[in-house]
Amino acid sequence: MKGVIFIAPPAAGKGTLSKYLVTHHGFRHISVGNLFRERAKQNDEEGKILSEALKTGQLIDDERLFSMINSELLTVKKGEKIILDGLPRTLQQAEKLDIILRDLNVSELLVIHINVEKEILKLRMTGRRICPKCQNTYNIYSEKFKPNKLDICDSCTSSLIKREDDTEKSFEVRYEIYKKNSEPIVSYYKNQNCLYELDFNNEDHEIALKELDRIVSAFVD
């Protein structure tokens, strides 16, 4: 099996890139953030812990993280190409993930390091609005990605929502944690000769998507 991992700061565009790979290259998208948000809806102790961590931008402890991700990875079918979105976020997680992927027979790994300037990230995160029905994503600070009507989905006319963790305070915490932890992770995968750099500063997503397509096409062929 083949797997793709994104190393990226919060709101870097992993969802947009993952959606492209699902549509154009047949990948299965496994988002750690989405798994946490679904679990956080449960009104039990673990749900409350996850909900608070999402609100404040703090990392989830490794035991809880890998318990959840292992359950999801066990549903992966033989031969599926997978995207792991949101993992690893520390060097220790990267090392543990290597063992898990090896056990799943993920023999080839492509790691893409996404580069975006901090101020762009902040606007992407705090301006993000999501349709709870069709999952379309918008941004109120972007002329290109604003909904036609404020807080209304263009596709299904559902009311858009703002994720509870898409706040400036949460962004600052998550960004600082990312900056602290990302350098050793990037070095770790660079030493494995599986790391590629991808610039995603431009609002014209087609530029990044073309480069992504070039990188991934060579990987899956």
Side-chain angles (χ1 to χ4, degrees):
M1 289 196 292
K2 297 185 178 185
V4 168
I5 288 174
F6 290 120
I7 300 174
K14 298 188 300 296
T16 298
L17 300 175
S18 295
K19 187 175 182 179
Y20 182 87
L21 293 184
V22 170
T23 303
H24 294 274
H25 290 281
F27 276 82
R28 174 177 171 180
H29 182 207
I30 299 176
S31 167
V32 174
N34 287 345
L35 291 175
F36 281 157
R37 278 184 281 274
E38 284 301 311
R39 184 64 183 86
K41 293 176 183 178
Q42 302 299 315
N43 190 27
D44 56 18
E45 184 176 353
E46 182 172 72
K48 292 175 182 177
I49 291 172
L50 291 173
S51 179
E52 184 62 25
L54 289 168
K55 287 177 185 177
T56 59
Q58 296 294 332
L59 292 180
I60 308 296
D61 65 272
D62 282 5
E63 183 178 354
R64 188 169 278 110
L65 167 68
F66 280 103
S67 173
M68 195 170 298
I69 200 66
N70 278 338
S71 296
E72 187 69 17
L73 288 173
L74 287 174
T75 68
V76 174
K77 298 177 182 177
K78 185 178 180 180
E80 273 192 303
K81 301 187 293 289
I82 62 171
I83 303 164
L84 275 178
D85 174 354
L87 185 75
R89 293 188 177 181
T90 66
L91 179 58
Q92 291 74 23
Q93 288 180 4
E95 293 169 341
K96 187 167 184 176
L97 184 61
D98 268 357
I99 297 171
I100 292 171
L101 293 179
R102 200 156 45 239
D103 290 343
L104 283 171
N105 294 318
V106 177
S107 55
E108 296 182 65
L109 191 63
L110 173 66
V111 182
I112 300 175
H113 182 211
I114 306 172
N115 298 297
V116 188
E117 294 176 7
K118 182 179 179 180
E119 289 307 309
I120 294 175
L121 291 168
K122 186 183 294 186
L123 290 176
R124 285 183 184 175
M125 183 170 177
T126 58
R128 181 163 51 193
R129 300 293 184 270
I130 299 171
C131 177
K133 185 176 181 180
C134 63
Q135 300 302 309
N136 283 346
T137 302
Y138 302 86
N139 195 294
I140 62 173
Y141 299 135
S142 167
E143 289 301 322
K144 186 172 182 179
F145 297 105
K146 278 183 178 178
N148 293 327
K149 292 183 179 180
L150 183 63
D151 291 333
I152 299 296
C153 178
D154 294 347
S155 299
C156 68
T157 69
S158 296
S159 295
L160 301 178
I161 61 172
K162 180 177 180 177
R163 290 195 325 216
E164 62 181 8
D165 51 322
D166 280 351
T167 64
E168 187 168 340
K169 182 178 180 180
S170 176
F171 169 79
E172 291 292 344
V173 173
R174 291 167 64 186
Y175 184 79
E176 289 307 314
I177 290 174
Y178 169 78
K179 291 296 291 182
K180 177 183 176 182
N181 292 327
S182 61
E183 188 173 329
I185 301 174
V186 169
S187 297
Y188 178 75
Y189 287 119
K190 188 177 291 185
N191 289 335
Q192 294 186 22
N193 296 315
C194 61
L195 184 84
Y196 286 80
E197 301 285 344
L198 181 67
D199 185 286
F200 205 1
N201 282 291
N202 200 306
E203 193 175 74
D204 184 357
H205 289 177
E206 290 303 315
I207 296 173
L209 291 177
K210 285 181 180 178
E211 178 61 10
L212 176 70
D213 190 71
R214 184 191 68 81
I215 295 169
V216 174
S217 293
F219 174 64
V220 297
D221 287 346

